[in-house]
C-alpha cells in the first residue's frame, strides 16, 4: 500500500538511489529524475504528492527555476516541494526578496545535503500531512 | 611627475602648514618683543607686529577655506589642493622676506629658515614646482639684499646684533646670495630625490598589496570550488553508508557493523570539516553582510534547544540568563546563530561529564555582550594567542576530542568582527574557558532605535 508518490529530482544518481531506498522502505512510491527536463517528463506521467528538488544541477539554480515553473502550473501548484540546499545557498539567491513572496520561491522546506534518513522521513511525513496550500 | 603624497594626506598637510603658521606667528611676536625689549636689539618692531597681524588674518582665511572643504565631506581634487599648497608655500616665502626686511635683511641669521620651506616644498610638491619655489626664494631674497645694498629699499639694521655696514658690501652680499641660491637648489635636489624614491617604493608596495589580495581571492575561489565538489561526493558516500549502517538493506553482523560504523564516523567528521571550510571560505568571498533586524531572543532560544540535547547526553548542566530588555538586534541572523551555536557546542564538547556551561546575554552600551563560560578543560596559556588562527587546535583539545576542524573560532571571529564586534578568551577562574563576544544592537549608520 503506497504512502504517497514522491518525485526526486537530483543530478547525483547515488543520492537519488539512496533516498529511493530510504523512502521506498517506508512505503512511498518514488520516481527519479536527474535534471529538470526529465522532471518535466515525469510530471507528464504522474502526479506526485511531494517533490524533492536539488538546487545545483546543470546550472547553479536549475532547481529554483524548476520549482517556480512547477508552481506556475495549475495542476501542480499545490504539490509541496522540499529543497535540498543549505541555508547559505538559499541566502545566496536573494532569499530575502523571496521570503514574503510565495510565487517567487514556492518551497515549503529546506534540507542541507547529506540528509540523514530519519530526518528525511520526518520531513517528508511532515510535508505530506500538512494541509495543502 | 607626482608629489609624494596622495590628495587625502595633502589636505592633512595643508592643515598642518596652517597649524605650523600659528606657531610661527606666535614665535615672531614673542621674538620681536624679546629682542627689542630685553636684548636691546634695534628692529622695526611696529612693522614686524604689523606683518604678524597680516599673516594672522591670512592664516585665518586659509583655515576657513580648508575647513569648508573638509567639512563638506567632498574631497577636493588633487590639482586644487596642490594649488593651495603651492600658494601657501609661495606666500610663506614672501612673508619670510618681509620679516627679514624689517629685521636686518642680510644681517639676520633667520634667513636660514628659507631652507625649511624648500624641504616642505620638495616633500609636498613635484620636483619642477619645488625648483620654481627655490627660484622664487632666490629672487625674493636676492631682490631684497640687492635693493637694500643699492639704497632703493630702506635698511632696518639689527643694531646691537650685527655689523650694520655689511649690507652695503657688494662682495659680501653677492657671496651670501650665491651660497644661499646653491644651498636652496641642493636642498630641493636632495629632498625631491629621496621623496621620489619613497613614492616609488610606496607605489610598488601598493601594487604588491593589490596583487596579493587578488591572489587571495583566486585561492578562496579555488578552495570554494574544491570543497564544494568534495562535499557533494561525501554527501553521496554518507547517504550510501547510512543505508548500510542503518541496516536498511539487510542485517549486518557485528564486525560488519563495526567497520561500517567507522567509515560512517570518519566520513561524518570529514564532512564537518569540509562544511566548516566551505562556510568560512564563502564568507571570505562575500564582500559584505546582508544585515536585517531579527530577534536575538528567538535565535538564542533556537540555539539552546539545539545544544540542550548534546548537553543532556553528557550530563552537563546548561544554564542561561538574558537581560529582559534585549530582543531585536541588527545583523545577519544565520551567521550569528551559527556563531553562538559554535561557541556553545565547543563549550559542551570540551567540558567533561557533569560539568557546567553557562550562557549570559547582557546589554553593554550600544552592544550586546554574549558570554559562554564552561568548567571544561580550558586553554593552556601557550595556546591562547593562537586560538583564533586557522586550523589551529590546542594540544589538550586534540587530546580530548580527536575530531575538530580548527575553523570554528576563526569563523566566529570573522562573523563577530564583520558585525563590528569583538571576541576574546579568558580563563574561567574556577577552571575552564570563557568566550565572550559583542555585537552591535543597531546598524552602524542607523540612528533610529531598533524595534521602533
Amino acid at each position: 500500500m503506497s504512502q504517497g508518490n514522491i518525485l526526486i529530482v537530483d543530478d547525483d544518481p547515488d543520492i537519488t538511489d539512496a533516498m529511493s531506498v530510504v523512502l521506498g522502505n517506508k512505503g512511498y512510491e518514488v520516481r527519479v529524475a536527474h535534471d529538470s527536463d526529465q522532471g518535466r517528463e515525469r510530471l507528464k506521467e504522474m502526479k506526485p504528492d511531494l517533490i524533492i528538488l536539488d538546487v545545483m544541477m546543470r546550472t547553479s539554480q536549475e532547481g529554483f527555476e524548476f520549482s517556480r515553473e512547477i508552481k506556475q502550473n495549475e495542476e501542480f501548484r499545490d504539490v509541496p516541494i522540499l529543497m535540498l540546499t543549505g541555508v547559505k545557498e538559499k541566502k545566496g539567491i536573494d532569499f530575502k526578496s523571496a521570503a514574503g513572496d510565495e510565487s517567487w520561491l514556492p518551497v515549503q522546506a529546506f534540507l542541507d545535503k547529506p540528509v540523514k534518513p530519519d530526518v528525511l522521513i520526518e520531513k517528508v511525513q511532515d510535508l505530506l500531512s500538512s494541509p495543502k496550500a | 611627475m607626482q608629489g609624494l603624497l596622495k590628495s587625502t594626506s595633502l589636505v592633512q598637510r595643508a592643515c598642518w602648514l596652517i597649524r605650523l603658521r600659528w606657531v610661527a606667528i606666535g614665535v615672531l611676536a614673542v621674538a620681536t618683543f624679546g629682542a627689542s625689549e630685553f636684548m636691546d636689539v634695534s628692529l622695526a618692531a611696529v612693522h614686524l607686529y604689523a606683518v604678524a597681524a597680516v599673516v594672522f588674518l591670512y592664516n585665518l582665511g586659509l583655515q576657513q577655506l580648508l575647513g569648508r572643504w573638509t567639512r563638506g565631506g567632498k574631497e577636493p581634487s588633487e590639482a586644487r589642493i596642490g594649488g593651495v599648497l603651492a600658494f601657501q608655500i609661495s606666500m610663506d616665502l614672501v612673508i619670510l622676506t618681509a620679516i627679514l626686511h624689517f629685521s636686518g635683511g642680510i644681517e639676520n641669521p633667520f634667513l636660514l629658515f628659507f631652507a625649511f620651506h624648500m624641504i616642505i616644498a620638495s616633500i609636498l610638491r613635484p620636483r619642477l614646482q619645488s625648483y620654481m619655489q627655490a627660484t622664487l626664494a632666490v629672487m625674493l631674497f636676492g631682490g631684497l639684499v640687492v635693493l637694500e645694498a643699492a639704497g632703493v629699499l630702506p635698511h632696518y639694521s639689527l643694531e646691537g646684533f650685527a655689523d650694520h655696514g655689511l649690507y652695503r658690501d657688494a662682495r659680501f652680499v653677492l657671496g651670501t646670495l650665491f651660497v644661499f641660491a646653491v644651498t636652496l637648489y641642493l636642498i630641493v635636489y636632495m629632498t625631491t630625490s629621496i621623496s621620489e624614491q619613497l613614492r616609488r617604493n610606496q607605489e610598488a608596495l601598493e601594487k604588491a598589496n593589490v596583487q596579493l589580495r587578488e591572489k587571495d581571492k583566486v585561492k578562496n575561489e579555488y578552495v570554494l570550488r574544491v570543497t564544494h565538489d568534495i562535499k557533494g561526493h561525501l554527501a553521496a558516500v554518507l547517504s550510501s553508508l547510512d543505508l548500510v549502517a542503518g541496516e536498511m538493506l539487510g542485517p549486518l553482523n557485528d564486525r560488519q557493523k563495526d567497520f561500517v560504523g567507522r567509515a560512517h564516523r570518519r566520513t561524518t567528521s570529514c564532512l564537518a570539516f569540509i562544511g566548516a571550510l566551505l562556510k568560512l571560505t564563502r564568507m571570505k568571498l562575500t564582500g559584505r553582510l546582508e544585515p536585517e533586524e531579527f530577534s536575538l531572543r528567538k535565535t538564542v532560544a533556537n540555539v539552546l534547544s539545539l545544544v540542550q540535547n548534546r548537553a543532556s547526553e553528557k550530563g552537563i548542566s546548561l544554564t542561561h540568563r538574558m537581560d529582559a530588555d534585549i530582543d531585536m538586534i541588527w545583523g545577519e541572523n544565520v551567521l550569528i546563530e551559527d556563531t553562538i551555536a559554535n561557541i556553545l557546542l565547543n563549550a559542551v564538547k570540551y567540558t567533561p561529564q557533569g560539568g557546567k556551561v553557562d550562557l549570559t546575554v547582557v546589554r553593554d552600551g550600544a552592544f550586546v555582550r554574549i558570554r559562554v563560560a564552561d568548567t571544561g578543560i580550558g586553554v593552556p596559556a601557550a595556546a591562547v594567542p593562537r586560538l583564533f588562527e586557522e586550523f589551529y587546535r590546542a594540544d589538550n583539545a586534540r587530546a580530548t576530542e580527536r575530531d575538530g576542524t580548527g575553523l570554528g573560532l576563526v569563523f566566529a571571529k570573522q562573523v563577530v568582527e564583520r558585525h563590528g564586534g569583538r571576541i576574546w578568551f579568558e580563563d574561567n577562574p574556577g577552571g575552564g574557558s570563557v568566550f565572550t563576544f559583542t555585537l552591535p544592537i543597531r546598524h552602524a549608520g542607523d540612528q533610529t532605535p531598533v524595534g521602533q
Side-chain angles (χ1 to χ4, degrees):
Chain A
M1 183 200 78
S2 172
Q3 298 284 315
N5 294 316
I6 297 175
L7 172 63
I8 304 176
V9 188
D10 190 322
D11 62 344
D12 188 335
D14 294 330
I15 296 277
T16 53
D17 288 355
M19 279 190 176
S20 301
V21 172
V22 172
L23 294 170
N25 277 358
K26 284 285 160 186
Y28 295 102
E29 198 74 46
V30 181
R31 301 293 302 274
V32 167
H34 292 126
D35 56 47
S36 48
D37 293 335
Q38 284 184 18
R40 241 169 259 127
E41 290 299 312
R42 298 287 174 277
L43 288 178
K44 282 179 192 156
E45 304 156 7
M46 69 185 288
K47 168 139 195 202
D49 300 302
L50 171 72
I51 299 171
I52 298 176
L53 249 185
D54 185 27
V55 178
M56 285 173 101
M57 288 185 280
R58 288 171 305 189
T59 69
S60 62
Q61 301 205 6
E62 188 173 345
F64 281 116
E65 282 152 15
F66 190 41
S67 73
R68 226 177 320 174
E69 194 184 314
I70 294 168
K71 288 293 157 167
Q72 277 158 10
N73 185 319
E74 213 43 63
E75 194 182 348
F76 300 109
R77 180 170 294 163
D78 299 337
V79 180
I81 296 176
L82 169 58
M83 207 90 195
L84 298 179
T85 181
V87 179
K88 291 302 292 175
E89 283 97 329
K90 189 169 77 188
K91 285 214 86 145
I93 59 137
D94 198 9
F95 181 61
K96 252 192 284 180
S97 67
D101 182 2
E102 271 286 291
S103 67
W104 199 93
L105 196 68
V107 173
Q108 276 73 27
F110 296 92
L111 281 179
D112 195 10
K113 283 200 280 192
V115 185
K116 289 200 167 303
D118 47 343
V119 175
L120 177 65
I121 290 163
E122 192 188 331
K123 203 69 166 184
V124 165
Q125 284 171 345
D126 199 36
L127 286 171
L128 286 178
S129 63
S130 63
K132 304 239 166 112
Chain B
M1 193 175 94
Q2 291 283 300
L4 176 66
L5 302 164
K6 296 216 174 315
S7 90
T8 6
S9 33
L10 281 181
V11 175
Q12 284 165 9
R13 287 294 138 192
C15 296
W16 172 71
L17 280 183
I18 289 171
R19 282 200 300 278
L20 271 185
R21 207 171 289 115
W22 289 127
V23 176
I25 292 164
V27 169
L28 173 63
V30 170
T32 306
F33 185 74
S36 56
E37 300 296 319
F38 301 113
M39 291 166 65
D40 281 339
V41 177
S42 89
L43 38 73
V46 177
H47 296 84
L48 287 173
Y49 289 133
V51 171
V54 169
V55 178
F56 182 88
L57 290 175
Y58 157 71
N59 210 31
L60 207 60
L62 269 181
Q63 197 176 39
Q64 289 294 315
L65 181 72
L66 277 173
R68 201 171 318 144
W69 280 5
T70 45
R71 258 198 310 279
K74 249 195 300 174
E75 186 75 21
S77 73
E78 201 164 331
R80 204 161 169 207
I81 188 69
V84 169
L85 276 170
F87 174 74
Q88 284 199 67
I89 294 166
S90 304
M91 279 304 287
D92 286 340
L93 296 176
V94 173
I95 292 162
L96 183 55
T97 310
I99 293 168
L100 284 181
H101 174 56
F102 293 119
S103 58
I106 203 163
E107 295 159 15
N108 191 339
F110 273 104
L111 63 87
L112 289 173
F113 272 37
F114 276 104
F116 296 145
H117 295 270
M118 291 307 108
I119 294 172
I120 289 172
S122 307
I123 292 174
L124 297 182
R125 303 307 303 146
R127 179 170 259 179
L128 182 64
Q129 254 195 48
S130 306
Y131 279 119
M132 282 162 62
Q133 296 284 7
T135 307
L136 177 65
V138 170
M139 279 165 55
L140 284 168
F141 181 73
L144 177 73
V145 295
V146 168
L147 290 178
E148 281 189 14
V152 180
L153 279 178
H155 176 73
Y156 301 89
S157 301
L158 278 188
E159 207 93 43
F161 180 77
D163 177 355
H164 58 271
L166 271 180
Y167 79 97
R168 269 189 302 215
D169 182 332
R171 267 187 308 178
F172 176 75
V173 168
L174 291 177
T176 306
L177 189 55
F178 174 73
V179 175
F180 179 86
V182 169
T183 307
L184 293 200
Y185 284 117
L186 274 177
I187 287 174
V188 169
Y189 170 73
M190 289 175 186
T191 316
T192 51
S193 300
I194 294 168
S195 50
E196 170 78 348
Q197 187 59 46
L198 284 175
R199 188 180 59 81
R200 268 201 294 264
N201 291 352
Q202 189 174 315
E203 262 175 18
L205 279 177
E206 270 165 24
K207 212 167 143 199
N209 203 11
V210 168
Q211 278 172 347
L212 273 179
R213 243 177 284 148
E214 269 163 18
K215 281 198 179 132
D216 193 51
K217 189 167 174 251
V218 170
K219 179 212 75 186
N220 281 333
E221 276 161 359
Y222 181 81
V223 172
L224 188 71
R225 176 75 210 271
V226 171
T227 42
H228 197 273
D229 271 14
I230 295 176
K231 193 185 168 209
H233 293 303
L234 286 176
V237 170
L238 202 62
S239 299
S240 298
L241 282 175
D242 273 333
L243 298 183
V244 182
E247 298 186 306
M248 285 180 230
L249 303 170
L252 301 174
N253 66 34
D254 286 349
R255 277 179 66 75
Q256 288 168 332
K257 240 190 235 170
D258 178 19
F259 279 93
V260 170
R262 290 182 199 203
H264 194 275
R265 276 192 298 280
R266 290 303 284 262
T267 312
T268 307
S269 68
C270 185
L271 197 63
F273 175 75
I274 288 292
L277 190 56
L278 196 58
K279 224 163 40 176
L280 185 65
T281 312
R282 206 175 266 139
M283 171 135 79
K284 283 183 185 168
L285 278 171
T286 40
R288 52 190 188 82
L289 295 171
E290 284 177 34
E292 59 198 341
E293 214 187 322
F294 70 94
S295 166
L296 183 64
R297 190 162 286 279
K298 265 189 210 149
T299 301
V300 166
N302 284 348
V303 174
L304 281 170
S305 73
L306 173 87
V307 178
Q308 185 62 59
N309 289 338
R310 207 71 73 83
S312 308
E313 281 166 21
K314 281 184 81 174
I316 290 170
S317 96
L318 176 62
T319 52
H320 65 97
R321 187 175 65 79
M322 189 167 185
D323 275 359
D325 64 335
I326 297 175
D327 188 16
M328 302 306 282
I329 71 161
W330 166 88
E332 202 161 319
N333 190 3
V334 182
L335 295 181
I336 289 173
E337 183 166 337
D338 258 7
T339 302
I340 303 173
N342 247 330
I343 299 211
L344 266 178
L345 285 171
N346 255 357
V348 170
K349 188 167 165 185
Y350 296 113
T351 298
Q353 296 266 342
K356 282 184 207 151
V357 172
D358 179 56
L359 167 74
T360 51
V361 184
V362 295
R363 199 183 246 275
D364 178 11
F367 290 80
V368 282
R369 183 189 285 250
I370 300 170
R371 181 177 181 274
V372 175
D374 65 47
T375 59
I377 60 171
V379 177
V384 172
R386 302 190 57 192
L387 215 44
F388 294 94
E389 246 173 57
E390 258 161 81
F391 304 114
Y392 179 77
R393 292 187 72 211
D395 290 342
N396 62 340
R398 224 177 262 279
T400 312
E401 288 281 338
R402 197 178 57 177
D403 292 336
T405 61
L407 292 174
L409 288 176
V410 187
F411 179 77
K413 188 176 160 74
Q414 283 261 349
V415 171
V416 169
E417 288 181 353
R418 278 205 180 192
H419 281 83
R422 230 159 48 80
I423 183 166
W424 67 96
F425 164 84
E426 290 158 303
D427 284 317
N428 199 347
S433 312
V434 180
F435 282 92
T436 314
F437 63 95
T438 58
L439 291 170
I441 292 174
R442 47 178 115 129
H443 198 301
D446 181 8
Q447 293 308 309
T448 54
V450 159
Q452 289 187 12

